[in-house]
Amino acid sequence: MASAEKTFEVERKGIDWITDEERHGTPRRLFWPWFAANASFFTVAYGVFVVGLGLSPWQGALAVIIGLGVSYPVVGLVALAGMRGGAPTMTLSRAAFGVHGNRLPTLFVYLSLVGWETISVSIGALATRTVLARIDQGLASTRMVALGFALTVAVVIVVGIYGYNLILRVQKYITIAVMATTIVYFALIVPTLDFSRPAAGGGIALFAGGVSLVIANGIGWTSGGGDYSRYLPRTSSPRAVAGWTAVGAGSAPLVLMLFGVLLTAGNPALAAAAAADPVGAFAAALPTWFLFPFLLATMLSVIAGAVFNLYSSGLNLQALGVRLPRWAAVAIDGVIMVVGGVYLVFVTPSFFAPLQAFLIVIGVVTAAWSSIFVVDLWLFRRAGYVPEALYDPRGAYGRFNVAGVVSLVVAVGVGWGLVTSQDPNLRHVLGYLLGDAARAGSIGAANIGVAVAFFVGGLLYAVISRRGAR
């Protein structure tokens, strides 16, 4: 456990190599930050979104279980690389793509993280507006919503700037507060649900779409998988590092998404309400006395998720070659987060359409990158990484690793050609391998491009790199 002095000291380490003398802690401490980052009412909304695609509750529950079972073990494997390598995830990624070639996946991952932190703070502002309107319509003014948005963003940026030790300490207490509130919420809402209505299910294609949506959520965390485990001693148990990360990151979504499925089964109208306000929709049936605890828990949970992404995005900005201290990179990302949040909260008419578009587009890239990263770890990095080569293009990893760059470009090209989006700006850009009829039908709704990109990227990298080695 970090001392109080170190907890409130700005972290100086950026993408630098963590020496053995600087490493500390045990794999067990990875549970709290990963659990807190996923323990939010937005995760409940995700279960609502899955059923809202047109699935029955049983299909939605199975899609959640399969999607989480596929994605979060990959996050655990990436955390293992962080412990072995002693550097942030997207710095270790240079081994698979080359020092300069790695800028391509790092750029996409950076955009993904900035997008996630923007979504998090936007959800907090939307929930603030809905809850205040329930208490008193006069409180739900634009000024009050803007004030709540500004306070949330300020806390996220400050914690992100202080860095690793403060994040680990704060996330533990956020987890306890949010889960206690969630349990009370369960007890209040479940008796009000009506399960007497029959629920129609969807076909195989829609079910595959639900699985893809869940995988896109889970696989999005892989790019930060090694950012916290890099401080662990190299003598740590590999199984414990991967296990505590996967369990911490995946257990909260499993419980909360399944509860979202249950809520939709008992209140089908919830899916439409959640599309406009993913968290505030859950406040509609709450008694007035519980609205403030609900709002507080919501704000804490979105802060936890946004801090996690903001910390990693600052490291990724450095990995792109921007020569700034880590705290300055975090501050820049915070400004971008504010701009994106203002658009989602005060401009766009629907939250779900841009959210799904973001998840699917970035999900394809992240799936392709993560499979290449894990295959590279499995084939070539069991003994660890060469520290100097991660920072020198003249070193062992070179400027460009053709196997990694080619595999990523091909996998993303195929993946984007097999996914569709409800967003009008992307509807005619994606799905170019499907044709008009398939794009508009059940095959397009399946969004199989996420899974295809994962398998194509890893398999192609294994083949090309093996041949290169021979």
Side-chain angles (χ1 to χ4, degrees):
M1 178 64 67
S3 66
E5 181 180 356
K6 290 185 177 180
T7 297
F8 295 100
E9 177 182 325
V10 175
E11 181 187 358
R12 301 298 179 186
K13 283 286 185 178
I15 62 172
D16 318 60
W17 180 266
I18 307 298
T19 64
D20 289 339
E21 292 75 18
E22 296 172 298
R23 297 184 180 224
H24 58 278
T26 63
R28 188 187 301 270
R29 74 183 306 189
L30 294 173
F31 175 86
W32 290 109
W34 281 106
F35 191 95
N38 288 279
S40 73
F41 284 98
F42 176 62
T43 309
V44 178
Y46 224 90
V48 175
F49 293 153
V50 171
V51 178
L53 293 174
L55 302 180
S56 70
W58 288 110
Q59 288 176 317
L62 186 58
V64 167
I65 293 171
I66 293 175
L68 296 178
V70 169
S71 55
Y72 280 106
V74 179
V75 181
L77 291 176
V78 176
L80 177 59
M83 183 270 289
R84 288 179 177 174
T89 310
M90 295 312 297
T91 302
L92 298 175
S93 179
R94 291 172 174 174
F97 295 92
V99 175
H100 294 328
N102 188 59
R103 290 178 180 175
L104 177 62
T106 302
L107 175 61
F108 279 107
V109 168
Y110 173 73
L111 295 175
S112 170
L113 292 169
V114 171
W116 273 115
E117 64 205 35
T118 301
I119 287 171
S120 295
V121 296
S122 300
I123 288 170
L126 290 172
T128 300
R129 181 167 58 195
T130 303
V131 172
L132 290 179
R134 275 283 320 274
I135 298 172
D136 185 338
Q137 193 65 40
L139 292 175
S141 64
T142 301
R143 180 179 299 178
M144 290 297 295
V145 174
L147 177 61
F149 177 77
L151 290 175
T152 304
V153 168
V155 173
V156 169
I157 293 176
V158 168
V159 176
I161 286 175
Y162 271 92
Y164 179 81
N165 287 319
L166 182 58
I167 290 173
L168 288 187
R169 175 165 291 195
V170 167
Q171 299 286 63
K172 179 177 180 178
Y173 297 109
I174 288 179
T175 299
I176 295 172
V178 171
M179 291 310 297
T181 307
T182 305
I183 291 172
V184 177
Y185 180 88
F186 288 1
L188 292 172
I189 293 299
V190 170
T192 68
L193 301 179
D194 179 11
F195 300 103
S196 62
R197 293 177 289 259
I204 296 297
L206 284 178
F207 177 74
V211 174
S212 297
L213 196 63
V214 177
I215 290 177
N217 170 270
I219 212 75
W221 291 106
T222 55
S223 56
D227 294 354
Y228 295 88
S229 57
R230 77 189 199 273
Y231 277 99
L232 292 176
R234 278 190 281 186
T235 54
S236 302
S237 165
R239 182 176 299 179
V241 172
W244 279 111
T245 300
V247 171
S251 54
L254 178 62
V255 174
L256 296 176
M257 286 187 191
L258 289 178
F259 182 66
V261 172
L262 181 69
L263 285 178
T264 313
N267 183 6
L270 194 60
D277 185 354
V279 175
F282 300 125
L286 287 175
T288 305
W289 66 266
F290 191 66
L291 289 175
F292 270 121
F294 173 82
L295 179 59
L296 179 60
T298 297
M299 302 307 290
L300 288 175
S301 66
V302 299
I303 287 171
V307 163
F308 218 73
N309 288 303
L310 185 64
Y311 179 76
S312 291
S313 67
L315 294 174
N316 283 8
L317 192 59
Q318 288 185 313
L320 279 171
V322 177
R323 298 183 178 276
L324 287 173
R326 188 198 59 81
W327 67 266
V330 168
I332 290 175
D333 293 347
V335 173
I336 299 174
M337 175 178 66
V338 170
V339 174
V342 168
Y343 171 77
L344 285 178
V345 176
F346 300 103
V347 179
T348 182
S350 172
F351 190 89
F352 180 66
L355 170 65
Q356 187 199 36
F358 165 75
L359 285 173
I360 294 301
V361 171
I362 293 296
V364 168
V365 181
T366 310
W369 168 83
S370 60
S371 65
I372 294 169
F373 185 93
V374 170
V375 169
D376 178 79
L377 172 69
W378 180 260
L379 292 179
F380 306 114
R381 315 300 165 200
R382 296 190 184 186
Y385 293 79
V386 180
E388 297 81 7
L390 291 171
Y391 306 94
D392 187 356
R394 298 167 297 178
Y397 304 136
R399 290 176 170 81
F400 292 90
N401 184 345
V402 175
V405 175
V406 169
S407 299
L408 180 70
V409 171
V410 171
V412 170
V414 173
W416 279 347
L418 296 174
V419 297
T420 59
S421 172
Q422 297 181 17
D423 189 278
N425 298 317
L426 294 173
R427 185 176 300 160
H428 303 293
V429 177
L430 302 174
Y432 42 80
L433 297 180
L434 295 173
D436 292 337
R439 186 188 300 177
S442 58
I443 296 178
N447 283 322
I448 59 174
V450 176
V452 171
F454 183 86
F455 288 109
V456 169
L459 182 61
L460 193 58
Y461 181 78
V463 172
I464 298 176
S465 58
R466 282 291 194 183
R467 288 184 176 180
R470 284 200 297 267

